[in-house]
């Protein structure tokens, strides 16, 4: 039996990353084998591309192609083999992030996004995507409190992040079966309860 592919999405500061490992652990407690991974990254080459993507200024289409190049490698080496073995894959970001950041945030032509998406994973979409949504000012506050060096995307202005948020919501609206919007402006406990409920109803 093929495993399930679950992705986490949201604007920077939405707090999704703290829930990724928790979800994986709660699935493991049910006896499932779970791979936790992230994009851009997830393979040796993908992590090198991540360092470039997060730090080096580059043309929008270069950025998009590198995101999909890292994704191709990730699918071939980690995601597809794990799913074929019946394992579950929980991934921090996937193609919806390219749709939202390069498409919504930076204005990449949608037809180019669709071409690359079809090329790289025509027959595979996540079984479930958890979209962490919250107002921009709260997300920005969370990033400011973290007081670490900001990457190229986190350094973008508020209007960029607002476009990213809207593109995510638009994508969720167009794919209501796959993408579930989670109100990230709630307590950790309440978010975990929601996640558990969504995963149980949709994947188990
Ligand atoms: P992120 O997942 O937020 O990691 P961290 O929690 O360590 O900051 O960082 C990855 C950044 O890459 C994030 O700002 C969104 C961006 N990104 C894109 O712009 N397009 C993509 O396709 C992906 C996967 C990520």
């Amino acid at each position: 039996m093929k495993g399930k592919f679950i992705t986490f999405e949201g604007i920077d500061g939405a707090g999704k990353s703290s829930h990724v490992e928790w979800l994986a652990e709660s699935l493991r407690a049910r006896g499932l084998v779970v791979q936790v991974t992230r994009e851009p990254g997830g393979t040796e080459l993908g992590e090198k591309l991540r360092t470039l993507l997060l730090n080096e200024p580059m043309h929008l289409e270069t950025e998009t192609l590198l995101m999909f190049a890292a994704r191709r490698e990730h699918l071939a080496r980690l995601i597809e083999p794990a799913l074929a073995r019946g394992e579950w894959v929980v991934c921090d970001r996937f193609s919806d992030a390219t749709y939202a950041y390069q498409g919504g945030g930076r204005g990449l032509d949608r037809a180019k996004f669709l071409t690359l998406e079809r090329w790289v994973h025509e027959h595979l979409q996540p079984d479930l995507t958890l979209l962490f949504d919250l107002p921009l000012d709260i997300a920005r506050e969370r990033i400011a409190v973290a007081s670490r060096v900001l990457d190229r995307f986190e350094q973008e202005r508020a209007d960029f992040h607002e476009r990213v948020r809207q593109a995510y919501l638009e994508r969720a609206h167009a794919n209501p079966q796959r993408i579930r919007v989670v109100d990230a402006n709630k307590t950790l406990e309440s978010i975990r309860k929601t996640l558990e409920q969504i995963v149980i109803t949709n994947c188990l």
Side-chain angles (χ1 to χ4, degrees), residues 12 16-17 38-40 50 54 63 67 71 92-94 97-98 101-102 148 151 153-154:
D12 291 281
K16 64 184 166 47
S17 301
R38 67 173 180 183
E39 288 208 350
R50 178 186 179 93
L54 266 49
E63 181 175 289
M67 290 291 179
R71 186 161 299 137
D92 196 340
R93 300 192 186 280
F94 194 62
T98 315
Y101 280 80
Q102 282 64 50
R148 50 185 173 72
D151 67 42
F153 297 98
E154 291 166 330

Side-chain angles (χ1 to χ4, degrees), residues 8-12 60 63-64 67-68 71 93-108 110 113 117 129 131-132 153 156 159-172 178-179:
F8 280 63
E9 297 283 357
I11 56 172
D12 291 281
L60 166 59
E63 181 175 289
T64 308
M67 290 291 179
F68 271 105
R71 186 161 299 137
R93 300 192 186 280
F94 194 62
S95 288
D96 298 317
T98 315
Y99 180 90
Y101 280 80
Q102 282 64 50
R106 301 219 200 279
L108 177 83
R110 206 152 293 185
F113 167 82
E117 185 186 41
T129 297
L131 171 56
F132 283 65
F153 297 98
E156 285 288 347
D159 57 334
F160 171 87
H161 291 282
E162 191 54 53
R163 289 195 300 277
V164 172
R165 182 185 183 203
Q166 292 313 320
Y168 266 134
L169 291 172
E170 180 193 303
R171 183 104 160 139
R178 173 172 70 84
I179 306 179

Side-chain angles (χ1 to χ4, degrees), residues 46-61:
E47 291 293 326
K48 288 182 181 160
L49 293 173
R50 178 186 179 93
T51 303
L52 291 173
L53 280 159
L54 266 49
N55 298 293
E56 297 292 330
M58 61 184 79
H59 187 278
L60 166 59
E61 292 188 358

